[in-house]
Amino acid sequence: MSFPTTNERQDDPVPQKRGWRGLIDAYRPYLPVTDSTPIVTLYEGNTPLIPVPSIAAEIGKKVEVFVKYDGLNPTGSFKDRGMTMAITKAKEEGAKAVICASTGNTSAAAAAYAKRGGLRAFVVIPDGYVALGKLAQALVYGAEVLAIRGNFDKALDIVREMGEHYPVTVVNSINPYRLEGQKTAAFEVVEDLGNAPDWLCIPVGNAGNITAYWMGFCQYHQLGKCDRLPKMMGFQAAGSAPIIAGHPIEHPETVATAIRIGNPANWQKALAVGEASQGEFNPVTDEEILHAYRLLGREGVFCEPASAASVAGLLKVKDRVPTGATIVCVLTGNGLKDPDSAIEHSETQLRQGIEPDLEAVAQVMGF
């Protein structure tokens, strides 16, 4: 058997692109990019829409319930959708460094995509309030992590000022390209269902994602790709619910750290979405969030606690669900982001100290 020489290999035709190439490639006509834009991608998007029949059964009324599991993006959260666009545009505009404030997921995505694009990444986090799985990601990707003595809202204030006075690009959801990328999740939902759902249930922290989903549904509706728009149902943790309270929360507290935000950057945009869609914002307690978190686990879906707020909220308002409705609950992050919460709040016990023999193991199993 003979093998081609180096020169022969170089002369071979370039293989054709195959499979999924990331959301910018997939939705290029609907995004602010050109043929010369330097795309920075980790092949994000194309995440599954999973039916959850046990949750549908709790509601009854012949409804269908699906979860949009964006925890299967490359860094484990929906933030990758926005970050591929934000970093791509930053690189196109000649940026050398980016910065973000984060409760964890944004820092992981910003670090991964910035490094992928050859940019420096700075992330400002509230000290002691970021799940270790997310902090580990940012560090491994090579971000310069700055932990401040303050909450997310203070971190974002600092980041905004940095963007105004220093040569760094802010990639929080105040960056409009973030929402452009995140709106593609709505495109995928419409394509998977064949139409928009009746309800879209979503956790609300900084309120960028509910805004982005509405952008996506409206764009596809205008293009005739769906014949209706969903009611947008936003859910905040009760201890961190400024939109519902009508004023900023100075010291937000919740087990759902990803939505532990007291003064959302996209507050007014989210209110506009609620009004335009005839939707609602409702609070869910930590107990309700953890109940939904465990229910999803029994369906084989492991999300972080903040993600479960969408399902918790749906169950809380189930009496108002229309008969026969199709409902999508957005799961924003993977459960592996926060393993400490899984261990602490699981109802399944870890059985330790078992003797290493067949009879001892069988006895513990109940045989």
Side-chain angles (χ1 to χ4, degrees):
M1 179 183 294
S2 62
F3 294 91
T5 67
T6 300
N7 287 338
E8 288 174 334
R9 286 198 297 270
Q10 289 175 342
D11 291 340
D12 286 344
V14 176
Q16 293 297 308
K17 292 183 178 179
R18 296 177 182 174
W20 183 261
R21 306 289 293 187
L23 64 85
I24 294 178
D25 188 65
Y27 297 111
R28 184 179 290 270
Y30 315 121
L31 297 170
V33 293
T34 68
D35 289 343
S36 61
T37 301
I39 307 302
V40 181
T41 181
L42 289 165
Y43 292 9
E44 60 295 310
N46 196 29
T47 57
L49 193 65
I50 305 172
V52 281
S54 67
I55 292 166
E58 286 211 17
I59 297 168
K61 302 183 181 181
K62 299 180 180 178
V63 301
E64 288 187 293
V65 180
F66 300 84
V67 291
K68 178 61 170 169
Y69 190 26
D70 253 1
L72 292 183
N73 275 299
T75 78
S77 87
F78 78 99
K79 304 287 187 176
D80 293 354
R81 292 183 180 274
M83 211 55 73
T84 184
M85 274 299 306
I87 300 298
T88 286
K89 295 301 286 187
K91 189 173 180 68
E92 183 176 46
E93 292 165 5
K96 302 299 182 184
V98 300
I99 190 169
C100 70
S102 181
T103 55
N105 284 329
T106 299
S107 67
Y113 283 82
K115 289 301 181 177
R116 181 82 168 178
L119 308 179
R120 290 183 74 185
F122 296 91
V123 300
V124 183
I125 63 172
D127 197 6
Y129 285 96
V130 171
L132 291 180
K134 304 173 190 181
L135 178 58
Q137 286 181 280
L139 292 170
V140 168
Y141 296 140
E144 297 171 65
V145 180
L146 314 173
I148 66 162
R149 291 193 295 270
N151 60 24
F152 169 84
D153 303 296
K154 183 59 179 175
L156 184 56
D157 288 342
I158 294 170
V159 164
R160 285 180 190 266
E161 292 181 25
M162 289 292 299
E164 291 171 3
H165 299 291
Y166 295 92
V168 291
T169 298
V170 177
V171 291
N172 281 99
S173 57
I174 57 175
N175 180 318
Y177 299 120
R178 280 277 307 276
L179 301 188
E180 286 289 329
Q182 286 169 216
K183 74 182 181 184
T184 60
F187 297 166
E188 292 175 17
V189 168
V190 170
E191 289 162 4
D192 284 346
L193 291 177
N195 207 340
D198 296 292
W199 280 23
L200 192 285
C201 299
I202 189 166
V204 175
N206 218 23
N209 214 24
I210 190 170
T211 306
Y213 265 91
W214 185 245
M215 287 168 56
F217 286 127
C218 288
Q219 189 169 358
Y220 257 26
H221 186 256
Q222 290 164 0
L223 293 168
K225 293 178 177 288
C226 56
D227 62 17
R228 63 189 182 204
L229 291 168
K231 184 187 289 284
M232 303 293 285
M233 303 293 287
F235 299 99
Q236 294 194 294
S240 180
I243 292 176
I244 295 156
H247 59 79
I249 305 297
E250 188 174 351
H251 300 292
E253 292 294 343
T254 174
V255 68
T257 56
I259 53 174
R260 184 182 173 271
I261 295 170
N263 190 16
N266 295 282
W267 188 325
Q268 295 307 314
K269 289 179 181 178
L271 286 176
V273 168
E275 183 177 354
S277 72
Q278 300 182 321
E280 302 174 13
F281 293 92
N282 288 283
V284 284
T285 66
D286 281 2
E287 291 73 20
E288 290 166 335
I289 288 171
L290 291 171
H291 173 65
Y293 176 68
R294 289 186 284 262
L295 285 179
L296 286 162
R298 291 171 199 152
E299 283 277 15
V301 178
F302 187 27
C303 66
E304 64 174 318
S307 295
S310 60
V311 172
L314 172 61
L315 294 175
K316 188 165 189 171
V317 300
K318 65 182 181 181
D319 292 344
R320 304 207 289 278
V321 175
T323 299
T326 299
I327 302 159
V328 171
C329 295
V330 177
L331 303 186
T332 47
N334 197 299
L336 291 173
K337 295 275 191 174
D338 191 359
D340 289 347
S341 287
I343 294 167
E344 181 178 354
H345 299 294
S346 172
E347 292 178 335
T348 305
Q349 293 183 346
L350 172 63
R351 302 186 184 186
Q352 298 175 294
I354 302 167
E355 292 299 321
D357 64 68
L358 177 62
E359 288 186 6
V361 172
Q363 184 178 14
V364 171
M365 293 172 66
F367 295 117

